[in-house]
């Protein structure tokens, strides 16, 4: 028994190098329930349900944690509850509201968890509260603030859309952007992580936009990116996960950008990707969901080290299978 305890303890201690195992998938190309046309981003609400922006079908679909279809809403158009190429989707803790970056309608819409329209804000332009192809949206852990990636700037709002502030401009400098594709808020610190496909990097900031740091360059080596898109912060560890779209993989890092690991390659097999764009975590961190965009599906993975109990022989054996 002592040997078992030592082995299990080693696995817990090595969690920083955690490996992710394939758990399941759902979806195919089409317009039916549970089918997708270029799914972009995903998010998981506190209930564990998974919401996916189905871009080409101009709708939102949602599922159980293992992919059973629950519902959908939206159609092509500019009316309330309609979309034109929606990309970002974010569930708000507490209220359960779902916020959608209605990209080509230049606005944010928000809904109940089952898709009933609640409100909207935004129009095309460069003023406060206006947008130029917003592609990403994120909500703070308390549900109070909504951050929107607006091409070359971040704007943030109250939960009902009142403008609070902004930062960023076009460029390569610290706090500048060229093509924002993903935004995430760290649950513990409230820091805001921003993926910029135009500069092949991640930058992070305080909740009010003060620059804290950055990482990433163009390339395919560890810590490098090609057209990075989605970003998510793990609820327990605070690690930062990036959908490295052009490299057909997921990379993950410490909260300050030190490389920890990666998985994925180009293809259509289990654990392979074809330009993945979205990434999201289950509330307990046990599963990570990836929108496998050009394979028209969602795949999900488990952290082999989550929940390992030192005294559990069965769990230790499972790690060697």
């Amino acid at each position: 028994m002592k040997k078992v305890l030592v082995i299990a303890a080693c696995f817990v201690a090595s969690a920083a190098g955690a490996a992710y195992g394939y758990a399941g998938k759902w979806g195919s190309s089409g317009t039916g329930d549970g089918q997708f046309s270029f799914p972009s981003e995903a998010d998981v609400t506190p209930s564990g349900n998974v919401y996916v922006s189905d871009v080409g079908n101009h709708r939102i679909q949602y599922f159980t944690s293992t992919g059973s279809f629950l519902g959908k809403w939206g159609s092509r158009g500019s009316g309330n509850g309609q979309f034109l190429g929606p990309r970002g989707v974010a569930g708000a803790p507490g209220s359960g509201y779902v916020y959608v970056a209605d990209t080509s309608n230049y606005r944010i819409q928000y809904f109940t968890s089952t898709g009933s329209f609640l409100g909207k804000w935004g129009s095309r332009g460069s003023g406060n509260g206006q947008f130029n192809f917003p592609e990403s949206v994120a909500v703070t852990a308390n549900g109070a603030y909504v951050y929107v990636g607006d091409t070359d700037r971040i704007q943030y709002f109250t939960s009902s859309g009142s403008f609070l502030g902004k930062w960023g401009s076009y460029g390569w400098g610290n706090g500048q952007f060229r093509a924002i594709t993903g935004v995430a808020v760290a649950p513990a610190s409230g820091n805001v992580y921003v993926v910029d496909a135009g500069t092949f990097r991640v930058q992070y900031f305080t909740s009010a936009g003060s620059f804290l740091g950055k990482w990433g360059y163009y390339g395919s080596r560890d810590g490098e990116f090609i057209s990075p898109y989605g970003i998510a912060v793990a609820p327990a560890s605070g690690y930062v996960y990036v959908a490295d779209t052009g490299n057909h993989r997921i990379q993950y890092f410490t909260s300050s950008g030190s490389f920890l690991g990666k998985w994925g390659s180009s293809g259509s097999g289990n654990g392979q990707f074809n330009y993945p764009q979205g990434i999201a975590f289950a509330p307990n961190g046990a599963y990570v969901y990836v929108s496998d965009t050009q394979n028209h599906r969602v795949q999900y993975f488990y952290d082999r080290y989550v929940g390992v109990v030192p005294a559990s022989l069965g769990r230790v054996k499972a790690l060697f299978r």
Side-chain angles (χ1 to χ4, degrees), residues 129-194:
Q130 293 185 310
F131 302 110
N132 182 22
F133 294 106
E135 292 199 8
S136 52
V137 61
V139 184
T140 55
N142 62 5
Y145 303 121
V146 179
Y147 290 82
V148 180
D150 183 24
T151 305
D152 58 10
R153 65 179 180 175
I154 298 292
Q155 296 190 73
Y156 59 108
F157 306 85
T158 66
S159 59
S160 58
S162 296
F163 177 81
L164 293 172
K166 63 184 177 183
W167 71 88
S169 60
Y170 187 85
W172 290 83
N174 294 340
Q176 292 186 309
F177 310 101
R178 295 181 71 239
I180 295 172
T181 47
V183 179
V185 182
S189 67
N191 290 340
V192 180
Y193 290 81
V194 182

Side-chain angles (χ1 to χ4, degrees), residues 108-111 116-121:
I108 303 297
Q109 295 192 73
Y110 62 110
F111 305 85
S116 296
F117 176 80
L118 292 172
K120 63 184 177 183
W121 72 90

Side-chain angles (χ1 to χ4, degrees), residues 11-62:
F11 279 117
V12 172
S14 66
Y20 284 81
Y22 172 81
K25 63 184 176 185
W26 72 88
S28 60
S29 179
T31 60
D33 294 346
Q35 294 184 310
F36 301 106
S37 177
F38 302 102
S40 181
E41 295 211 15
D43 200 20
V44 186
T45 60
S47 67
N49 292 338
V50 182
Y51 290 76
V52 183
S53 60
D54 188 7
V55 178
N57 287 320
H58 310 284
R59 66 185 180 182
I60 301 297
Q61 295 192 74
Y62 62 108

Side-chain angles (χ1 to χ4, degrees), residues 197 200 218-220 224-229 242-250 265-266 273-277:
F200 316 103
Y218 178 86
S220 300
E224 295 179 334
F225 304 108
I226 298 177
S227 300
Y229 203 98
V242 180
D244 186 9
T245 304
N247 283 317
H248 311 285
R249 65 185 181 182
I250 303 299
S265 60
S266 178
F273 304 111
N274 190 1
Y275 293 99
Q277 290 189 353

